[in-house]
Amino acid sequence: ALERTLSIIKPDATRRNLTGAINDRFEKAGLRIVAQKRIQLTRAQAEAFYGVHKERPFFGGLCDFMTSGPVVVQVLEGEGAVAKNREVMGATDPAKADAGTIRKDFAENIEANSVHGSDSAENAAIEIAFFFAQTEIVG
Ligand code: CMP
């Protein structure tokens, strides 16, 4: 089915000027960027977005990292977009990611892993609504 997923290009990637290179991976995989904006996350936004992880030992460091520079939040659309995006990203830990994936090729480590992507269609709807009004998404 035609789906939408929420993607974030993280501060380690914007810092190294990799926004275009990462978008090229998405577009070559058949994902369409139907909404996109470059923003500086506030601490409150980072903590709220990653709220499911708040008891994890990496939560504080993750929020520090995600507010350390600009991110690009985007909505990707395509057939099976949630799974396709996860395939293109590769495993969370770049050391475990398959060859040719974004994280294998660009990520610095398990925290500074260049991209975020929704893990289910249900979470995609929640995460898209966190950053975008319906009027900002143009399919
Ligand atoms: P993401 O897919 O955005 O979801 C949670 C983020 O936490 C993850 O990518 C990493 O950036 C970060 N993180 C840091 N340490 C870990 C860890 N040990 N396991 C999972 N995620 C981690």
Side-chain angles (χ1 to χ4, degrees), residues 8-15 38-42 63-72:
I8 305 178
I9 301 177
K10 297 186 180 185
D12 67 290
T14 62
R15 191 176 291 131
R38 179 172 163 108
I39 59 174
Q40 171 65 50
L41 287 181
T42 65
C63 293
D64 291 341
F65 164 62
M66 290 298 291
T67 56
S68 68
V71 298
V72 176

Side-chain angles (χ1 to χ4, degrees), residues 21-76:
I22 290 171
N23 279 346
D24 189 55
R25 302 289 182 103
F26 294 145
E27 293 189 335
K28 288 212 162 79
L31 293 164
R32 304 182 73 85
I33 302 163
V34 296
Q36 175 167 259
K37 54 191 173 189
R38 179 172 163 108
I39 59 174
Q40 171 65 50
L41 287 181
T42 65
R43 184 87 196 177
Q45 277 179 310
E47 289 177 352
F49 183 80
Y50 281 118
V52 294
H53 295 308
K54 67 171 172 291
E55 306 305 331
R56 303 277 210 108
F58 59 80
F59 180 71
L62 173 62
C63 293
D64 291 341
F65 164 62
M66 290 298 291
T67 56
S68 68
V71 298
V72 176
V73 294
Q74 46 192 192
V75 180
L76 306 180

Side-chain angles (χ1 to χ4, degrees), residues 1-6 26 29-32 76-89 118-121 124:
L2 192 68
E3 286 179 347
R4 287 174 173 175
T5 192
L6 189 278
F26 294 145
L31 293 164
R32 304 182 73 85
L76 306 180
E77 182 182 87
E79 281 296 313
V82 173
K84 187 173 286 182
N85 182 37
R86 294 181 72 77
E87 203 178 295
V88 173
M89 289 193 295
S118 306
D119 64 3
S120 67

